[in-house]
Amino acid sequence: MNRMKDKVAIITGAAQGIGATYAKALAAEGAKVVLCDLNTPNETAAAIRAEGGSALALACDVTDGAAVQAMVEAAVAEFGGVQVLVNNAALFATLELKPFEQTSSAEWDKIMAVNVRGSFECAKAVLPVMRKQGYGKIVNIASATAFKGAPMMLAYVASKGAVIAMTRSIAREVGDTGIRCNCLAPGLTMSTNVQANAAWADDIVRNNIASRCLKREAVPEDLIGALLFLASADSDFMSGQTVVVDGGSVTH
């Protein structure tokens, strides 16, 4: 249980759901974790500390470049560096399913700001630290919907397609400095927030499951193995790639 020993990992959107699951899994493997969300993720941090782990909890809006920079500086001050960034913060579970022409320009901009620019701001902020170390892992979180062209959620799907493209470009730019940038693309995962959205129920969930090779609901714990692989030395000769974890709905 020491794959992440002596590593410092930032996880955005870590207050609950999948982000909290990622944070707990990294801490269980020995990482010192820095957790951020719009509201300070104290509950996640407390759970990690209760298991003997090290956690720093911070409030941070990932669309605010200055706030993101301050968060990275706090991580370095507390733990001495940053080896891993998990760009998990995103708008999804609370979004309304609707035809794309019913999406307002303001809603489009908000989704793009959080899901795309937020990941960009965080990657940009950790870059000097990782370059100085000569090592780093940036794990962007996309979505299997980007490979499906899923309907009724155009802004979200477009944002996650942008994250995949951004991953490839970052990987090309930073590889010579020892930094790897890869992407994890989950399918529909029944997190707490997804379960609370009435849109993600009944036929939509059943049809999604029917499209999979492995015909069951996905839960946040299903993503841990791939996340740890991308964050650890196990994937040190891998960059610019997108790993889909959706039970085999998408194959590529």
Side-chain angles (χ1 to χ4, degrees), residues 23-61:
K24 292 172 185 176
L26 288 163
E29 286 287 345
K32 298 173 182 176
V33 294
V34 180
L35 319 175
C36 85
D37 214 308
L38 282 174
N39 296 312
T40 308
N42 289 318
E43 187 175 334
T44 307
I48 288 168
R49 295 185 192 116
E51 295 295 322
S54 299
L56 174 64
L58 301 167
C60 180
D61 178 352

Side-chain angles (χ1 to χ4, degrees), residues 46-128:
I48 288 168
R49 295 185 192 116
E51 295 295 322
S54 299
L56 174 64
L58 301 167
C60 180
D61 178 352
V62 296
T63 69
D64 182 338
V68 170
Q69 182 62 43
M71 181 260 293
V72 172
E73 290 173 359
V76 173
E78 182 76 12
F79 295 129
V82 178
Q83 284 74 38
V84 178
L85 166 66
V86 181
N87 267 324
N88 172 70
L91 294 177
F92 169 65
T94 59
L95 298 177
E96 178 187 354
L97 296 176
K98 58 189 173 186
F100 79 86
E101 71 269 22
Q102 294 179 16
T103 301
S104 69
S105 298
E107 183 180 6
W108 174 279
D109 289 346
K110 184 176 181 181
I111 291 169
M112 291 296 170
V114 177
N115 295 8
V116 184
R117 189 160 58 79
S119 294
F120 157 76
E121 296 287 2
C122 292
K124 184 170 69 169
V126 299
L127 198 57

Side-chain angles (χ1 to χ4, degrees), residues 165-181:
M166 183 168 64
T167 298
R168 294 168 177 163
S169 288
I170 291 174
R172 293 281 184 193
E173 287 197 35
V174 303
D176 287 345
T177 63
I179 302 168
R180 291 83 168 162
C181 184

